[in-house]
């Protein structure tokens, strides 16, 4: 039976980076039983969807995004019995569970790759992308890996290169091969049979590659000191990313997952707004993460411009985030300290009034800056370690994350950054986020009523009305006033303390870098 509204309308999601969330057995690595112990917290916070990052068997070159068995649980994260228990505990609390599916590449240790590599003339070979060397013996084309160096590694035995848009230990699947498509249908079905409510699709924009493996045009010079992401950005990725036939794969998945039942949420990094919107057209993905706000520094003019155009191109199709496990935390990116927190909250408050499903990344609700590493980098591209340090539960050893030694060596967080301390402090970020999540429940107009943008002369001010709710985001460094068409209003939420506000006029005063949610009568 199909209900009129997809179940995720009005929902708020929460990303659990499994390695660093909660360790139940003292081996220093977060696990599924650990997540179970924190579900009451997530429910209390107001989370509707729990997204679990990969917990599948994996040699761990990319912390689980190199999968060697798509239908299993790595012993470091628990057992399949633990997974089933977690699903039932999540459902028992009226929440939903989303798992990651990683279709662009497998682990180098996946049995498919072992077969493909060992028998160059066998049918299994075609599951991956192989090519002969260029005439000079080098890589077949100029494609780069996101993580540095060429996107090709030579298999000496066969004399051919395999393609990998990430690490060499993450060989890319050949999505032009029907066998690969069939396998993933079965993988989705396998997890749906275990009760998952949605899939987050890793690098959804990259599955199909140019059939002729043509060179990408280079758009900027390369130099040795470039970070891999900068080198990657020095090319026009017209032949390795965002090929039009990517969408066919998700149209097929839509059939497998059923309309409006199992949510398909893509990690899509395509040109916006039109390129992004194609992935969430009817019959394909339900939503796509719009990751730009999670990648940028504080540039509110650009942020608001992207937000308006992206929202209008796909009003219900964008999942709004400023944080995930791949980039420095927003408090840090947006200027650090109180300013970083205030800006993060102002933006997230605005996100709560848009179509699509906003997601928080673990610890965002505590206003955390990046963690500070004590040892070497663990991440192949270094910049992702600071957001992956353990979730600070309390002021005990390792902030209560583990009774053993955490997999990542980082400084203990100060007490006021912990869940235990913030729960007892009504003015702490945790309570601000909790009230914010609660708004979607107490004021369903915020996501249900038709959205109408309100004019503002200032490009750093964004205002919208949805039924009885008006949201005004003042992202400028100066206070501002905003004219309403009614003098009957009250503030139902403010992203920071605004003190006593007179509501006897039709002008509302908004402090700098603050978003207000108003109810009008
Ligand atoms: O990230 C994909 C990814 O790295 C891109 O979004 C990239 O950041 C962007 O294109 C910059 O050019 C996903 C996972 O979230 C990440 O943790 C994995 O390492 C990666 O895929 C590979 O599976
Ligand atoms: Ca553990």
């Amino acid at each position: 039976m199909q209900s009129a509204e997809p179940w995720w309308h009005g929902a708020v999601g929460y990303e659990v980076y499994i390695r660093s969330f909660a360790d139940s057995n003292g081996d220093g690595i977060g696990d599924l039983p650990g997540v179970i112990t924190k579900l009451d917290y997530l429910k209390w916070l107001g989370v509707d969807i729990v997204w679990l990052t990969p917990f599948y068997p994996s040699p761990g070159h990319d912390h689980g995004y190199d999968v060697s068995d798509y239908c299993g649980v790595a012993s470091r994260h628990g057992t399949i019995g633990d997974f089933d228990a977690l699903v039932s505990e999540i459902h028992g609390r009226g929440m939903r569970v989303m798992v990651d599916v990683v279709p662009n590449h497998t682990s180098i240790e996946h049995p498919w790759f072992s077969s493909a590599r060992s028998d160059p003339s066998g049918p299994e070979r075609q599951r991956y992308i192989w090519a002969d060397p260029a005439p000079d013996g080098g890589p077949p084309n100029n494609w780069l890996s996101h993580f540095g160096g060429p996107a090709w590694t030579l298999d000496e035995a066969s004399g051919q290169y395999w393609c990998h848009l990430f690490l060499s230990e993450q060989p890319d699947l050949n999505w032009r091969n029907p066998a690969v498509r069939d396998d993933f249908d079965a993988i989705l079905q396998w997890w749906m049979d275990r009760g998952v409510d949605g899939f987050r699709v890793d690098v959804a924009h990259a599955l199909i590659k140019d059939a002729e493996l043509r060179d990408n045009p280079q758009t900027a010079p390369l130099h040795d000191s470039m970070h891999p992401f900068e080198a990657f950005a020095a090319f026009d990725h017209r032949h390795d990313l965002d090929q039009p036939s990517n969408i066919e794969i998700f149209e097929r998945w839509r059939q497998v997952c059923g309309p409006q039942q199992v949510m398909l949420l893509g990690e899509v990094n395509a040109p916006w707004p039109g390129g992004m919107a194609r992935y969430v057209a009817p019959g394909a993905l339900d939503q796509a993460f719009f990751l730009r706000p999670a990648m940028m520094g504080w540039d509110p003019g650009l942020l608001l411009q992207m937000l308006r155009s992206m929202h209008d191109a796909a009003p219900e199709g964008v999942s709004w985030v400023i944080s995930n496990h791949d980039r420095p935390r927003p408090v840090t990116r947006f200027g650090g300290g109180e300013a970083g927190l205030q800006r993060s909250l102002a933006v997230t408050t605005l996100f709560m009034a848009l179509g699509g499903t906003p997601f928080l990344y673990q610890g965002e609700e505590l206003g955390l800056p990046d963690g500070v590493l004590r040892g070497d980098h663990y991440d192949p591209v270094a910049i992702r370690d600071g957001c992956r340090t353990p979730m600070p539960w309390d002021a005990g050893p390792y902030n209560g994350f583990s009774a053993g030694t955490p997999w990542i060596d980082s400084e203990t967080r100060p007490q006021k950054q912990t869940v235990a301390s913030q729960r007892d402090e009504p003015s702490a970020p945790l309570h601000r986020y909790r009230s914010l999540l609660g708004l979607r429940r107490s004021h369903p107009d915020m996501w249900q009523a038709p959205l109408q943008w309100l004019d503002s002369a200032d490009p750093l001010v964004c205002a919208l009305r949805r039924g009885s709710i008006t949201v005004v985001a003042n992202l400028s460094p100066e206070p501002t006033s905003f004219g309403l068409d009614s003098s009957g209003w009250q503030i139902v939420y403010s992203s920071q303390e605004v003190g006593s506000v007179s509501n006897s006029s039709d002008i509302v005063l908004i402090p700098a870098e603050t978003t207000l949610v108003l109810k009008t009568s």
Side-chain angles (χ1 to χ4, degrees), residues 207-446:
L207 308 193
I208 296 277
K209 275 82 177 177
D210 180 45
E212 296 160 44
L213 305 176
R214 283 171 285 185
D215 275 351
N216 284 323
Q218 191 171 341
T219 53
L222 294 177
H223 28 111
D224 289 347
S225 57
M226 270 177 156
H227 185 273
F229 289 175
E230 284 179 291
F232 194 82
F235 288 84
D236 166 355
H237 288 274
R238 70 174 63 181
H239 295 309
D240 57 344
L241 301 182
D242 196 27
Q243 305 298 295
S245 45
N246 273 332
I247 315 291
E248 288 165 20
I249 295 164
F250 304 121
E251 287 168 349
R252 176 177 172 132
W253 286 17
R254 178 77 283 146
Q255 299 299 314
V256 175
C257 293
Q260 301 189 356
Q261 283 162 15
V262 170
M263 185 183 190
L264 288 172
L265 170 51
E267 185 209 23
V268 180
N269 199 346
W272 56 274
M276 292 288 298
R278 283 209 313 276
Y279 285 79
V280 294
L285 297 174
D286 295 299
Q287 289 187 33
F289 279 119
F290 185 52
L291 293 173
R292 296 296 292 261
M295 293 178 164
M296 59 195 285
W298 183 242
D299 184 347
L302 177 63
L303 183 77
L304 291 179
Q305 190 197 330
M306 292 192 303
L307 182 139
R308 287 276 303 250
S309 61
M310 193 59 249
H311 185 276
D312 291 348
E316 296 291 335
V318 172
S319 174
W320 296 96
V321 284
I322 52 171
S323 191
N324 66 22
H325 66 286
D326 284 337
R327 285 296 187 277
R329 287 183 176 274
V331 169
T332 300
R333 270 186 294 114
F334 290 170
E338 277 304 311
L341 171 62
Q342 195 175 308
R343 293 166 173 171
S344 299
L345 254 166
V347 173
T348 302
T349 303
L350 181 57
F351 285 178
M352 292 287 162
L354 301 178
T357 307
F359 270 73
L360 298 184
Y361 172 56
Q362 68 188 40
E364 191 174 346
E365 72 277 22
L366 303 171
L368 295 184
D370 262 5
V372 179
L373 247 60
R374 275 193 295 227
D376 286 344
H377 288 297
Y378 300 78
D379 172 30
V381 283
I383 65 162
R384 307 182 298 177
D385 285 322
C387 66
R388 295 176 174 183
T389 59
M391 177 75 176
W393 296 104
D394 59 43
Y398 304 119
N399 290 126
F401 160 70
S402 173
T405 307
W407 65 274
I408 184 167
D409 186 13
S410 62
E411 284 178 13
T412 307
R413 298 266 188 182
Q415 182 167 358
K416 71 181 199 344
Q417 289 181 11
T418 66
V419 172
S421 144
Q422 293 200 11
R423 270 187 99 139
D424 293 339
E425 175 46 61
S427 67
L430 178 57
H431 290 278
R432 290 210 163 271
Y433 277 94
R434 181 168 181 253
S435 314
L436 181 58
L437 269 51
L439 276 187
R440 284 201 144 203
R441 225 158 274 125
S442 54
H443 300 285
D445 269 7
M446 225 173 141

Side-chain angles (χ1 to χ4, degrees), residues 85-102:
L86 174 57
V87 170
S88 114
E89 295 283 343
I90 290 175
H91 286 165
R93 286 168 177 80
M95 298 188 286
R96 307 275 188 154
V97 60
M98 170 175 282
V99 300
D100 240 292
V101 58
V102 188

Side-chain angles (χ1 to χ4, degrees), residues 23 25 27 29 31 76:
D23 171 24
N25 61 355
D27 67 355
I29 302 174
D31 46 51
R76 70 170 81 85

Side-chain angles (χ1 to χ4, degrees), residues 157-188:
S158 67
Q160 284 195 310
Y161 283 82
W162 73 82
C163 176
H164 53 88
L165 291 186
F166 294 88
L167 296 176
S168 139
E169 293 86 355
Q170 294 170 295
D172 281 25
L173 285 163
N174 171 17
W175 274 90
R176 295 178 184 274
N177 180 349
V180 170
R181 297 180 182 223
D182 290 345
D183 280 326
F184 273 83
D185 289 354
I187 291 163
L188 297 175

